C-alpha cells in the first residue's frame, strides 16, 4: 500500500463515519409513552415554578 494512501485514507473514512453517525442520531424515533411524556412535563413545570434563589453577595461583584 502506498504511503500517501495511508496518510490520506483517514480523511474519507472519518467523513463517512461522521455522515453515518449524524444520520443514525437524527433518525426518527417511535412515539414516547404518554406516561413518560406527562412525567417529563410535570418535572419541567416544577422546575419552572421553583423560586429563584437570591443572588449571592461576596467577592464576585462586578465593578
Amino acid at each position: 500500500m502506498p504511503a500517501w494512501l495511508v496518510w490520506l485514507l483517514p480523511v474519507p473514512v472519518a467523513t463517512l463515519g461522521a455522515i453515518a453517525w449524524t444520520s443514525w442520531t437524527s433518525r426518527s424515533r417511535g412515539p414516547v409513552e404518554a406516561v413518560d411524556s406527562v412525567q417529563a412535563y410535570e418535572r419541567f413545570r416544577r422546575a419552572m415554578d421553583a423560586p429563584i434563589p437570591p443572588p449571592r453577595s461576596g467577592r464576585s461583584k462586578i465593578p
Side-chain angles (χ1 to χ4, degrees), residues 8-22:
L8 293 178
L9 193 58
V11 174
V13 169
T15 303
L16 292 174
I19 291 170
W21 178 258
T22 303

Side-chain angles (χ1 to χ4, degrees), residues 22-38:
T22 303
S23 65
W24 176 258
T25 58
S26 64
R27 71 191 186 283
S28 60
R29 293 169 177 86
V32 178
E33 292 290 329
V35 173
D36 297 335
S37 179
V38 170

Side-chain angles (χ1 to χ4, degrees), residues 55-63:
R56 292 185 278 170
S57 60
R59 294 184 286 165
S60 64
K61 293 186 178 182
I62 299 174

